[in-house]
Amino acid sequence: MTVHPLVVALVVRSTEPGRFGTAATAWFARQVERRDDFKLDLIDLAVTPPDSLADRIAAADSAVIVSPEYNHSYPGELKIAIDSVRRPWYAKPVAFIVYGGRSGGLRAAEQLRLVFAELHAVPIRETLSFHQVPSCFTNEGEPVEPGTTNAATTLLDRLAWWARALRDARATTPYPV
C-alpha cells in the first residue's frame, strides 16, 4: 500500500531576513523536510496572493501557524488571512509556533485556538513557544533551549496522526457543513 505524504501548510506572515519569525520558520521547515511523512508548503502571507491562499489550505492535510504575540493576541493581518479562507480549514489539524511577549507567545496561541475551533479545525495540544526573542536561536539558526527539537518532533508526530485520521475521514465521509 502506498502512503502519500501529508501536506503541511506552514503559514507565516513574513519571511523577511532579520525577522524572528523567519528564523523560527526556517528551523521548523528543516524539521518537516527531514521527515518522510510530510510534504512542506511554505505560505508567506506577505507574498502569497489572497486568492491562492484558500486553494493552498484546501490542498493541505494540516497547517502550522507561525505567529508573534501582539497585544495579548496575534496580528490583525493573520486574522484577516485566516478568516478569508473559512471552509478549507474544516476538519484539519492546526498547530502553532508562537513567540514574543512575556508569555513567549502563548497568549497568541490561546486566541488562535479559539478561532480555529470556531472554524471547525482541530487545534492540537502541542505548541512551540519561544521566549527571549531573538536570542533563543544561535547564529546558525538552531534553538538554544535544550529539548526544542524533541518538542518539534512530538508536535509533528501528533500533527501527522491527526492529519492522517482526518484526511481518511474526509475522504470517506465529507465533513458536514
Side-chain angles (χ1 to χ4, degrees):
M1 176 173 95
T2 303
V3 177
H4 299 287
L6 301 161
V7 176
V8 59
L10 181 56
V11 181
V12 60
R13 67 182 248 223
S14 176
T15 56
E16 288 176 15
R19 296 180 66 106
F20 178 76
T22 303
T25 300
W27 168 77
F28 190 75
R30 288 192 303 275
Q31 306 311 302
V32 172
E33 289 170 343
R34 290 182 178 129
R35 296 175 63 115
D36 294 331
D37 53 350
F38 281 110
K39 179 182 173 195
L40 179 68
D41 180 14
L42 177 60
I43 301 173
D44 182 344
L45 296 175
V47 297
T48 300
D51 55 345
S52 72
L53 181 60
D55 291 339
R56 289 173 75 179
I57 297 301
D61 298 301
S62 62
V64 176
I65 309 298
V66 180
S67 178
E69 181 176 314
Y70 185 77
N71 290 337
H72 287 234
S73 188
Y74 56 94
E77 62 265 23
L78 179 57
K79 175 74 164 124
I80 291 167
I82 292 166
D83 289 349
S84 73
V85 172
R86 191 132 189 93
R87 263 203 181 126
W89 294 117
Y90 288 11
K92 297 224 176 129
V94 180
F96 309 107
I97 299 173
V98 291
Y99 57 92
R102 289 182 177 211
S103 75
L106 291 173
R107 293 180 288 213
E110 289 174 3
Q111 298 299 316
L112 285 162
R113 286 180 198 290
L114 295 171
V115 170
F116 278 103
E118 186 63 25
L119 288 170
H120 301 261
V122 180
I124 68 165
R125 179 186 176 277
E126 284 66 30
T127 297
L128 296 177
S129 170
F130 293 102
H131 300 265
Q132 304 300 320
V133 173
S135 62
C136 58
F137 275 80
T138 66
N139 291 336
E140 293 76 33
E142 295 299 317
V144 173
E145 184 71 31
T148 303
T149 300
N150 289 340
T153 298
T154 300
L155 182 149
L156 286 166
D157 288 347
R158 304 262 166 83
L159 189 66
W161 188 93
W162 279 104
R164 199 170 292 107
L166 292 172
R167 179 178 68 183
D168 293 350
R170 287 189 312 272
T172 58
T173 309
Y175 187 77
V177 281

